[in-house]
Amino acid sequence: MSKKIEDMSFREAMEELNQVVSQLESNKLELEESLEKYKYGVELLTMLKERLNTASVSVEELMGQIEDNEG
């Protein structure tokens, strides 16, 4: 995909990561290409984890607001 990782939606990045994993599992890539794909996959995974952590914090904050309003 030609889109920058930071510009991808969560879903796009997940699909891209799945493609990378499939390519790596195929054992059809040369060593150098495998290393590049692996590096790209790590970058995608890092971004996905960061977004999940951000979403988790947001949910916790919202849950705290709900609890404050109930109390």
Side-chain angles (χ1 to χ4, degrees):
M1 189 173 267
S2 60
K3 204 176 206 183
K4 290 182 180 179
I5 291 174
E6 58 270 8
D7 294 335
M8 290 181 190
S9 69
F10 188 86
R11 184 181 306 269
E12 289 171 326
M14 281 295 298
E15 289 172 0
E16 189 75 5
L17 182 58
N18 284 330
Q19 288 179 8
V20 168
V21 170
S22 292
Q23 290 170 344
L24 289 170
E25 289 177 339
S26 74
N27 291 322
K28 294 180 181 177
L29 303 175
E30 293 295 328
L31 176 62
E32 296 79 13
E33 191 176 9
S34 291
L35 289 172
E36 285 298 314
K37 292 286 183 184
Y38 186 82
K39 179 182 173 188
Y40 182 55
V42 168
E43 291 170 1
L44 286 164
L45 186 58
T46 299
M47 182 275 287
L48 289 165
K49 284 184 175 183
E50 288 171 359
R51 290 206 186 160
L52 282 174
N53 287 336
T54 299
S56 177
V57 168
S58 294
V59 168
E60 288 177 21
E61 289 173 355
L62 291 169
M63 293 303 293
Q65 290 175 7
I66 290 170
E67 290 172 5
D68 289 345
N69 289 334
E70 290 178 351

